[in-house]
Amino acid sequence: MEVREFLATRRARITPEAAGLTVYGGNRRVPGLRREEVAMLAGVSVDYYTRLERGNLAGVSESVLEALVRALRLDEAERDHLFDLARAANASSRTRPRAVRLRVRPSVQFTLDAITGAPAFVRNGRMDILATNQLGLALYSQMFSDAARPANHSRFIFLDPRAVDFYPDWNLAANNNVAMLRTESGRNPYDKGLADLIGELSMRSDEFRVRWAAHNVRRHYSGNKHFHHPVIGDIELMFEAMELAEDPGLTLTVYPAEPGSKAEESLSLLASWAATEHVAERARVASAE
């Protein structure tokens, strides 16, 4: 199902003209490329491509996958997702699913605590925040106000009405979040916790369900973030996300402010508020739960 929908949605977005094909007549029943056109562009038979799109990636070679990448004009994140799907399809039934971490090592928490000038946190692929520094907890204070642990980005975005105010561009935040979950589902398709989260969000949020059906994936390692914090107001921060080499599946994200900027001043105000509200003590409790 995952493979079929992913390939079908990718070819539906490419017009024959964009693919360099000449089209005769205007009676086309599909919005994008037909299966036979993708097969021709990829240099495989129609029967073989049809088999692939039906979800049968067993035995597919890397060269064929690369041909599909070119034919469907996949970006890097989409290419990785296709290869993840093929890897899962060809995995032995005895292959153990990757364990999803729910705690961080003490040294990782010490590293977070040493970052005092920027919000920082560690998350897993389910978008659970597993550990944070004082500024990270202060920035996401509304998310952590829910007693459920671990705090979860996706539940906050789609199930907490405060998220619409917290993210000035809520649609962008929602699209990115779902694309990251879709990417993770390809990397770790046997994660029951992830499947349960997706099922819960699909049942409780129309906004999530529509985005999930789009099968979009993306990399999300650097850029800018905009927030509207209930205490300090609007703030724009850069972000850098780094996978932890010793902890596969965990990502460290830091939100630095440009030196001398208004955002840097806002972070100082946030730090003062956090100290007043004893956020440091709450952070240690949240990380230990």
Side-chain angles (χ1 to χ4, degrees), residues 81-225:
H81 188 59
L82 178 61
F83 273 74
D84 284 338
L85 295 177
R87 199 172 295 116
N90 288 283
S92 164
S93 60
R94 288 177 288 183
T95 300
R96 295 181 60 183
R98 187 184 74 193
V100 176
R101 294 175 180 266
L102 294 175
R103 291 184 179 275
V104 301
R105 291 176 292 114
S107 61
V108 174
Q109 183 64 62
F110 299 154
T111 301
L112 286 170
D113 292 337
I115 302 172
T116 58
F121 61 91
V122 171
R123 67 164 179 83
N124 60 20
R126 297 177 189 167
M127 308 304 292
D128 295 324
I129 296 184
L130 305 182
T132 181
N133 67 355
Q134 178 171 314
L135 273 175
L137 190 73
L139 179 66
Y140 286 116
S141 57
Q142 291 176 307
M143 190 187 310
F144 278 96
S145 67
D146 189 321
R149 292 292 181 270
N152 183 273
H153 273 291
S154 302
R155 287 193 179 94
F156 178 67
I157 289 174
F158 290 100
L159 303 181
D160 193 322
R162 295 174 297 177
V164 177
D165 291 326
F166 183 69
Y167 295 102
D169 191 342
W170 184 87
N171 280 316
L172 178 63
N175 290 340
N176 287 342
N177 186 271
V178 175
M180 292 164 71
L181 284 180
R182 177 65 77 175
T183 300
E184 179 65 15
S185 74
R187 288 177 184 161
N188 202 12
Y190 305 110
D191 177 7
K192 184 179 183 302
L194 178 60
D196 289 345
L197 173 65
I198 292 166
E200 175 191 355
L201 295 174
S202 296
M203 288 290 292
R204 299 178 62 186
S205 170
D206 291 339
E207 294 280 6
F208 177 86
R209 188 164 54 251
V210 170
R211 288 169 172 80
W212 186 252
H215 287 261
N216 291 328
V217 294
R218 69 162 297 167
R219 291 183 169 190
H220 200 62
Y221 294 118
S222 66
N224 285 13
K225 293 275 190 181

Side-chain angles (χ1 to χ4, degrees), residues 1 62 105 113 132 138 140 142 186 213 238 241-242 247 279 285:
M1 178 67 172
E62 184 173 323
R105 291 176 292 114
D113 292 337
T132 181
Y140 286 116
Q142 291 176 307
M238 298 174 283
M242 299 146 276
D247 301 290
V279 167
V285 172

